[in-house]
Amino acid sequence: LYASLTSYLEYVKNNDVNLWSGISEFEDNQFIWVNIWPSEDYRETFMKTWLDSSKSGEFSMELSEIAPNAELKQFYGSSETSFITISDLLTPVNSVGKAYPGVEIVLGDQPDTPVSLGETGRVWVRSPYLFSKYVGENSFNLNRFSDWVSPGELAKLDLDQNLFILGRIDRIFKIKDQAIIPEEIENYLLTKKDIMDAAVVKKNDVLRGNKAVAYIATSERLDIEKLKLECISSIPPLDGSFQIIELSPEKFPFLPSGKPDIYKLQHWDI
């Protein structure tokens, strides 16, 4: 990333460009959208980047070294919705920001039955940026309701209307009637410095119906039993059936998009 952005800045500086806009690969097929407005000193160039929310933390430090005046904008959205939210300097940690201009957000089972403020609900979006339909779509779509579209995720809103994404609805499963949100466990595991990636899947369990299994990518030898107990105490729905399996970074399966291959992990024997 450093090399590619530095080359963009040099090109802008040396070719009398007033505005440069484009897409750059960040890591593992993750992409950023960069707009550059040059000044006499290219390191003072104003740069605006739109970045997938999952990559903002690790990217911001590197960006600040390349262009100290760069403005990093974290966004949340999908192919069907385009931008849903956008962050600013006041956005709380773990939030993806407030509604993008022109976007309406409602949380609830349906957009006409919203949950109370602070409660968890399905994300519904209405805006001028929505897609029309899927090619060949002729049947009822659970992710559409009148002129609203849902990206299929659960979230909460705080008093200031900052959105906090909790996880995808199609990944949630239950253990003894208690809902497990895999992303909640993954995010906790990723706070540990020696864990490079994490993915949680459900596996069959004779006594409970399901159990949660976390696959982690790490180059270090970890105290798995200690880590397991930390997860169970921090995330109440987890119980003694919870397992953590270590994989080397080379063996951890990824999709072409750079995201963990949940389907493959789901079907691995343990």
Side-chain angles (χ1 to χ4, degrees), residues 121-169:
R122 185 187 189 117
V123 178
W124 291 95
V125 180
R126 181 166 64 183
S127 82
Y129 319 117
L130 301 182
F131 81 136
S132 55
K133 69 173 186 176
Y134 295 109
V135 174
E137 179 184 42
N138 296 310
S139 59
F140 177 70
N141 187 337
L142 290 174
N143 291 326
R144 299 206 74 156
F145 185 92
S146 185
D147 52 351
W148 295 82
V149 168
S150 173
E153 292 178 305
L154 290 179
K156 291 182 179 180
L157 285 166
D158 68 8
L159 291 172
D160 295 318
Q161 298 299 302
N162 291 295
L163 189 69
F164 294 79
I165 303 299
L166 303 180
R168 289 201 57 80
I169 293 172

Side-chain angles (χ1 to χ4, degrees), residues 82-93:
S82 188
F83 289 166
I84 296 175
T85 64
I86 191 74
S87 70
D88 58 30
L89 294 176
L90 300 178
T91 300
V93 176

